[in-house]
Amino acid sequence: MDLLKADLFEKLGPLLSAEAAAEAPGTGVEAADLEQAVWVRLLESGPRDPDPTGRARWLRRAVRAEARLARRRARREIPYDYRHHSAAAGGAPEDALLDGEETRALRSAVARLPGRCPELMKALLSPRDLTYREIAGELGISQGSLGPVRSRCLGCLRRMLAAEVAAPGLWGKER
């Protein structure tokens, strides 16, 4: 079976690379990602037709299908920090003001956390995007204890922020 896979890779590799390179620019993904998705599809089900033209036709269809999926996925996905991009890109002044107020409220709550939580949360919120190893080195604690400390700090932060948010009014009749 491995000989068959090696043969497929050798014969279909150049065609797949060319097809993926041709389809990738409009999909929002790299050609290598498209190529990998088609290889996975090929190895999972694959063309059973021994005719080389049948394999090539299947390969073209598979590349186009994966490209369609990637385009749909790109249309549905929203960037993680979409509000920061819109405020920085000259969005409405109200959005920039609300974003600034939220950031100040969060930083204020982080500063009031107990123990080592303020330093840890500042490191996690840092725009430098530090790894756990770098954070542990800066704070002088073991990398293995970062997860439990982070979890405890986030729990404290949630409780603090929940207490600061006004409770919703009663729905329905009061008795």
Side-chain angles (χ1 to χ4, degrees), residues 41-150:
R41 183 183 278 210
L42 176 75
L43 294 175
E44 283 178 349
S45 62
R48 302 290 182 234
D49 188 6
D51 178 29
T53 60
R55 288 184 188 156
R57 193 174 327 122
W58 181 91
L59 191 74
R60 286 186 190 101
R61 286 183 187 150
V63 169
R64 289 187 180 98
E66 289 296 332
R68 275 193 307 274
L69 287 172
R71 278 192 294 273
R72 286 184 195 136
R73 194 171 33 251
R75 278 194 304 259
R76 281 193 317 257
E77 290 179 351
I78 299 170
Y80 181 66
D81 55 348
Y82 67 97
R83 289 188 24 211
H84 296 291
H85 288 302
S86 65
E94 296 86 14
D95 292 338
L97 178 70
L98 288 174
D99 185 46
E101 285 181 10
E102 286 177 356
T103 303
R104 278 190 293 281
L106 179 63
R107 300 278 179 193
S108 170
V110 165
R112 294 188 315 251
L113 286 171
R116 300 195 81 155
C117 290
E119 297 99 19
L120 176 61
M121 296 307 293
K122 284 178 188 171
L124 289 171
L125 292 171
S126 170
R128 296 185 314 174
D129 196 26
L130 301 171
T131 63
Y132 265 25
R133 177 175 286 166
E134 293 167 338
I135 292 172
E138 280 189 10
L139 299 179
I141 58 178
S142 72
Q143 187 176 345
S145 66
L146 276 180
V149 172
R150 178 192 63 96

